[in-house]
């Protein structure tokens, strides 16, 4: 029986791992949003009843998106090693994890975004069409702006999912909270680290979720009784 | 101004429009009425350039707009202000922001946009709601904002599909007033689709009755009410047969339609006086078509010169629709 890790060490472990997790998840969320939102828009534009319906393009895009979403992240993590090396100049460490995280999240975001955009009522879209607005204008001012609260929530869902995926980052030395729980906690039978990390993850995801919910509500102009 | 020529549209074998021909004179209001499923919305969507007809033409100022594409199509859309059926405002934009949308689409710069939005808020009487979001407005206010939005880019045509269908009678009045002002103050040509004859009664100059994708009646409201067999007259004029009457009490029984202040006010007393007959109103009543008072009365006449009195009413501008008792066709 060895003595438990001192709390001060546990905390410094947690601080370091939290930094790694937030770095990996934050950067990959930004990338996945920048690339996933256009994918979602494109999916919705080409869908039946969309602004530019195109069955062939839609079917191909859907197929690729769903394929990407069904790929287990751990497979993506190792399969993309050479791509990662090309982009970030190495294949291990937190930065290297960002590539598969972002790639895995793009189709995820794309589908979420399409679902959200499809909720905008057809009458509202048609009203904008009758004003002579261009497709780009309708996407920006109607589809995206009207969906903003739901889009912010979708990004929140993505962040939480990416925190989950990033637990596997340890496989390529990415570190982070998941890796801390598995390597330092579980594999070394260090209950204090294991359960501290689990509790901290619960707190962190709750806070993040709460932040996104608040941001979504703040962006929502419906039911604001301020006049 | 707008002419619709022989328009047809079929959805998967279901014929929605079956050779529709119509015209709306510049600066007038046409009501398109008809039962549910008659094709009213399909017609409106074709004119709004949201649906392409299978054949036929829609001309605005002589130009066929049915086969346009790209930027020409968008320019044509700006010529036609549309109030779509149902809730159509952006819920994440203020009333003012919604009205500004067509101006943004047309590339109008910010300062001019604000001025124009202010004018339109004034036109629809909602200046104090500029900063309100749609969820803070009543149904009638939302609909008036939708009308203001449709008018923002100075279209020559205003098209409204069931603009009052979800509203109570009082609010309906406020929306119709706004449509009427658009015509009167901006000179816009208005096409309003409705299943409510009250809309026709209040603001329409002309009416077209659509049934199963066909126009079965089309003309000026004030002309059609004079035609006893028109659907418009039976729908718009007061019923004359609500109470059964004792026909044997009168020498003659006839229905007359009277249009205009003079006719409604003085014609009947004068006929009675001139021909020395006793003239009783036994049914019917008075209504208004726009600003014009219109009456349909069932008259019971007693006296030797009853036929002459009816004939005189006909010549003086009343329409004697029917002689229930007495020689048929006394006056036309
Ligand atoms: N997009 C559509 N697809 C299939 N059928 C349609 C469509 N739009 C209208 N119809 C059909 O066309 C007919 C006319 O409909 P509509 O123009 O909406 O009538 P109204 O507005 O007078 O109630 C109806 O039989 C309706 O079912
Ligand atoms: Mg309809």
């Amino acid at each position: 029986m060895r003595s438990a890790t001192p709390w001060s060490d546990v905390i410094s472990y947690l601080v370091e791992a939290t930094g790694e997790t937030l770095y990996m998840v934050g950067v990959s969320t930004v990338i996945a949003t920048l690339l996933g939102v256009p994918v979602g828009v494109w999916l919705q534009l080409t869908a039946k009843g969309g602004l530019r319906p195109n069955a062939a393009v839609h079917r191909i895009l859907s197929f690729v998106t769903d394929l990407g979403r069904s790929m287990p992240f751990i497979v993506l993590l190792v399969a993309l090693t050479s791509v990662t090396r090309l982009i970030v100049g190495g294949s291990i460490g937190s930065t290297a994890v960002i590539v598969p995280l972002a790639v895995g999240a793009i189709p995820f975001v794309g589908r979420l975004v399409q679902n959200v955009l499809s909720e905008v009522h057809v009458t509202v879209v048609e009203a904008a069409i009758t004003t002579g607005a261009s497709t780009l204008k309708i996407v920006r001012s109607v589809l995206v702006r009207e969906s903003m609260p739901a889009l912010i929530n979708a990004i929140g869902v993505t962040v939480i999912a990416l925190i989950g995926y990033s637990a596997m980052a340890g496989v390529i030395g990415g570190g982070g909270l998941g890796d801390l729980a598995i390597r330092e906690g579980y594999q070394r039978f260090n209950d204090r680290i294991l359960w501290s990390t689990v509790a901290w993850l619960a707190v962190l995801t709750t806070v993040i979720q709460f932040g996104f919910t608040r941001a979504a509500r703040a962006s929502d102009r419906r039911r604001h009784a301020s006049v | 101004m707008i002419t619709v020529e022989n328009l047809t549209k079929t959805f998967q074998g279901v014929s929605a429009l079956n050779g529709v021909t119509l015209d709306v004179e510049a600066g007038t209001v046409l009501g398109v009425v008809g039962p549910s499923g008659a094709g009213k919305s399909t017609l409106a969507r074709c004119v709004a350039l949201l649906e392409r007809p299978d054949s036929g033409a829609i001309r605005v100022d002589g130009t066929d707009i049915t086969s346009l594409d790209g930027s020409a199509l968008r320019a044509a859309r700006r010529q036609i202000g549309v109030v779509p059926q149902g809730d159509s405002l952006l819920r994440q934009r203020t009333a003012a922001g919604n009205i500004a949308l067509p101006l943004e689409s047309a590339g109008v710069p910010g300062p001019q946009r604000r001025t124009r939005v202010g004018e339109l808020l004034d036109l629809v009487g909602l200046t104090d709601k500029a900063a309100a979001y749609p969820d803070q407005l009543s149904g009638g206010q939302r609909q008036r904002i939708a009308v203001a939005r449709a008018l923002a880019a100075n279209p020559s045509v205003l098209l409204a599909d069931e603009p009052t269908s979800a509203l109570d009678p009082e609010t309906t009045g406020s929306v119709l007033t706004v449509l009427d002002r658009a015509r009167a103050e901006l000179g816009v040509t208005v096409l309003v689709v409705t299943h409510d004859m009250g809309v026709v009664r209040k603001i329409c100059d002309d009416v077209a009755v659509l049934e199963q994708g066909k126009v079965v009646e089309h003309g000026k409201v004030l002309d059609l009410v004079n035609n006893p067999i028109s659907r418009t007259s039976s729908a718009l004029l007061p019923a004359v047969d609500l109470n059964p009457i004792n026909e044997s009490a009168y020498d003659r029984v006839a229905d007359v339609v009277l249009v205009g202040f003079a006719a409604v006010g003085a014609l009947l007393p004068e006929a009675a006086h001139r021909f020395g007959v006793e003239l009783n109103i036994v049914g019917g009543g008075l209504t208004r078509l726009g600003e014009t008072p219109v009456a349909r009365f069932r008259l019971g006449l007693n006296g030797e010169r009853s036929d002459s009195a009816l004939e005189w009413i006909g010549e003086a501008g009343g329409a004697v629709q029917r002689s229930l008792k007495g020689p048929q066709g006394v006056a036309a």
Side-chain angles (χ1 to χ4, degrees):
Chain A
M1 221 34 231
R2 63 204 165 85
S3 61
T5 316
W7 280 110
S8 58
D9 288 359
V10 173
I11 288 171
S12 61
Y13 269 128
L14 281 175
V15 168
E16 193 191 346
T18 303
E20 288 162 352
T21 293
L22 292 183
Y23 168 63
M24 291 187 288
V25 171
V27 176
S28 53
T29 300
V30 170
I31 295 170
T33 303
L34 290 178
L35 298 176
V37 170
V39 169
V41 168
W42 200 12
L43 274 167
Q44 179 55 23
L45 287 183
T46 54
K48 196 157 157 264
L51 286 169
R52 296 282 175 90
N54 186 327
V57 172
H58 185 77
R59 206 168 307 128
I60 293 169
L61 208 56
S62 281
F63 176 76
V64 174
T65 304
D66 292 339
L67 194 74
R69 279 198 316 153
S70 59
M71 193 71 70
F73 179 67
I74 191 92
V75 174
L76 215 53
L77 197 63
V78 291
L80 287 178
T81 315
S82 53
V83 179
T84 302
R85 191 176 297 128
L86 208 68
I87 296 176
V88 302
S91 58
I92 55 168
S94 297
T95 304
V97 180
I98 289 171
V99 174
L101 274 182
V103 169
I106 290 166
F108 186 83
V109 172
R111 244 334 153 198
L112 285 179
V113 167
Q114 190 214 342
N115 280 335
V116 165
L117 298 185
S118 71
E119 293 291 315
V120 178
H121 286 287
V122 65
T123 342
V124 176
V125 178
E126 285 186 346
I129 294 174
T130 66
T131 69
S134 63
T135 304
L136 181 65
K137 169 80 181 161
I138 296 172
V139 168
R140 281 207 326 234
S141 296
V142 181
L143 290 182
V144 171
R145 184 60 192 91
E146 284 292 293
S147 310
M148 197 51 90
L151 285 175
I152 291 173
N153 272 325
I155 301 308
V157 168
T158 306
V159 170
I160 303 297
L162 285 180
I163 289 176
Y165 289 163
S166 74
M168 297 169 224
V171 174
I172 59 169
L177 288 163
D179 188 40
L180 176 66
I182 293 166
R183 243 171 356 100
E184 299 294 331
Y186 179 71
Q187 287 171 359
R188 297 192 179 179
F189 307 103
N190 189 333
D191 281 355
R192 182 174 280 191
I193 287 187
L194 177 60
W195 291 112
S196 307
T197 311
V198 169
W200 173 235
L201 268 171
V203 171
L204 192 66
T205 49
T206 306
V207 168
I208 288 172
Q209 186 67 67
F210 179 75
F212 274 96
T213 306
R214 281 292 291 269
R217 204 176 305 150
S219 78
D220 197 347
R221 304 293 141 186
R222 291 169 296 177
R223 287 179 288 279
H224 273 209
S226 60
V227 170
Chain B
M1 177 67 227
I2 323 175
T3 43
V4 172
E5 294 164 13
N6 222 358
L7 217 60
T8 61
K9 179 77 190 178
T10 303
F11 295 105
Q12 298 112 35
V14 180
S15 169
L17 297 178
N18 191 2
V20 170
T21 298
L22 283 177
D23 65 284
V24 199
E25 233 174 273
T28 65
V29 181
L30 170 75
V32 175
V33 298
S36 174
K40 304 183 296 294
S41 289
T42 306
L43 174 63
R45 291 172 59 80
C46 287
V47 176
L49 299 172
L50 287 170
E51 204 88 66
R52 255 181 226 275
D54 298 337
S55 67
I58 298 168
R59 294 183 203 285
V60 175
D61 288 329
T63 315
D64 185 8
I65 55 170
T66 49
S67 49
L68 300 174
D69 273 308
S71 63
L73 174 61
R74 289 201 299 277
R77 280 174 172 152
R78 263 174 233 132
Q79 274 303 297
I80 301 168
V82 181
V83 182
Q85 183 166 11
D87 256 334
S88 66
L89 296 182
L90 298 173
R91 297 176 77 191
Q92 304 288 355
R93 277 196 179 203
T94 60
N98 269 284
I99 298 173
L101 186 69
L103 300 168
E104 293 167 15
S105 301
V108 176
Q112 280 160 259
R113 218 154 61 205
R114 277 184 284 282
T115 311
R116 180 78 185 134
V117 168
E119 291 166 9
L120 285 152
L121 282 165
D122 187 45
L123 180 84
V124 301
L126 290 172
T127 304
D128 57 329
K129 297 292 182 191
Y133 287 91
D135 280 22
Q136 299 162 327
L137 299 173
S138 71
Q141 290 171 336
R142 282 202 293 273
Q143 209 56 325
R144 277 145 73 193
I145 295 296
V147 175
R149 174 180 63 186
L151 291 168
N154 268 315
S156 52
V157 176
L158 178 66
L159 176 73
D161 190 358
E162 303 279 7
T164 61
S165 64
L167 307 176
D168 58 59
E170 200 175 315
T171 331
T172 294
S174 72
V175 173
L176 294 182
T177 303
V178 164
L179 292 177
D180 201 43
R181 282 185 80 175
R183 178 261 306 269
E185 292 175 25
L186 308 176
V188 174
T189 304
V190 183
L191 202 158
V192 53
V193 165
T194 182
H195 66 269
D196 176 7
M197 287 306 276
V199 173
V200 175
R201 193 196 307 280
K202 290 194 191 89
I203 61 164
C204 294
D205 302 297
D206 290 22
V207 65
V209 182
L210 211 57
E211 268 175 26
Q212 299 185 332
K214 282 202 163 104
V215 176
V216 294
E217 196 167 299
H218 178 27
K220 297 216 164 307
V221 175
L222 290 179
D223 291 345
L224 287 168
V225 291
N226 274 321
N227 176 352
I229 58 162
S230 76
R231 293 157 213 254
T232 306
S233 72
S234 53
L236 286 181
L237 293 178
V240 284
D241 47 8
L242 287 180
N243 305 307
I245 60 159
N246 177 13
E247 291 192 8
S248 62
Y250 306 104
D251 294 334
R252 294 287 180 267
V253 176
D255 294 344
V256 299
V257 173
L258 304 171
V259 177
F261 287 96
V264 170
L267 209 58
L268 296 185
E270 192 176 343
H273 179 72
R274 251 178 209 244
F275 297 92
V277 297
E278 184 200 328
L279 193 154
N280 304 286
I281 294 173
V282 295
L286 186 66
T287 185
R288 252 169 200 280
L289 298 176
E291 294 298 303
T292 312
V294 177
R296 176 159 67 175
F297 295 126
R298 177 157 291 179
L299 303 178
L301 297 91
N302 278 318
E304 276 177 27
R305 299 173 70 198
S306 292
D307 288 337
S308 307
L310 284 173
E311 197 171 338
W312 181 81
I313 291 170
E315 283 163 4
V320 180
Q321 289 198 334
R322 205 149 51 104
S323 283
L324 297 167
K325 185 174 180 190
Q328 292 296 310
V330 174

